[in-house]
Amino acid sequence: QIARALDVSDNTISKWIAQGMPVLEEGGNGREYAFSPADCYAWRRHRDAEARAAKAAADRSASQLAMAFRNLDEEDANASAGLTAKQIAEEADADYRYQRAAEQRGELTR
């Protein structure tokens, strides 16, 4: 019943119980589990909110790493936010060629 209420499978409920979903009465040996739907729903919302926050933090970290890799600051990153992967690769290749030419001219050293 709780699986239907939360619109998930029975296997998902079993997994969530192992992950700490609140249970009123343990089941087993022919006895059913007892749940408080309100507690289970609140647990799920809290779990989903934590997952969204973790994903947002990971996205921010990935964005910062990408900016560091491309040697950009916030302003440059905002200006090039809509670039495709191909455009980024072309930009990186052009920068590499520029740096190599500057090295050959003696403007840069290894």
Side-chain angles (χ1 to χ4, degrees):
Q1 292 170 341
I2 195 70
R4 270 195 315 261
L6 296 175
D7 195 29
V8 295
S9 69
D10 291 342
N11 290 338
T12 298
I13 295 297
S14 296
K15 183 177 76 172
W16 285 356
I17 290 170
Q19 293 174 353
M21 186 171 77
V23 175
L24 293 178
E25 291 181 30
E26 292 281 329
N29 292 334
R31 290 185 346 200
E32 293 183 355
Y33 280 82
F35 299 95
S36 166
D39 290 346
C40 293
Y41 183 72
W43 177 85
R44 181 181 182 185
R45 286 183 50 100
H46 176 73
R47 184 177 148 277
D48 291 349
E50 284 181 337
R52 281 191 302 275
K55 183 182 181 323
D59 288 346
R60 281 192 303 277
S61 293
S63 176
Q64 289 172 344
L65 285 172
M67 286 186 338
F69 177 74
R70 295 178 60 211
N71 199 25
L72 301 175
D73 59 16
E74 284 287 331
E75 188 175 304
D76 293 336
N78 290 335
S80 64
L83 296 180
T84 66
K86 182 179 178 185
Q87 290 169 324
I88 292 171
E90 289 170 351
E91 180 182 287
D93 186 53
D95 187 53
Y96 173 76
R97 290 174 189 273
Y98 176 80
Q99 298 298 332
R100 289 282 293 168
E103 183 181 347
Q104 290 173 350
R105 288 190 303 268
E107 297 170 359
L108 295 176
T109 60
R110 278 191 189 267

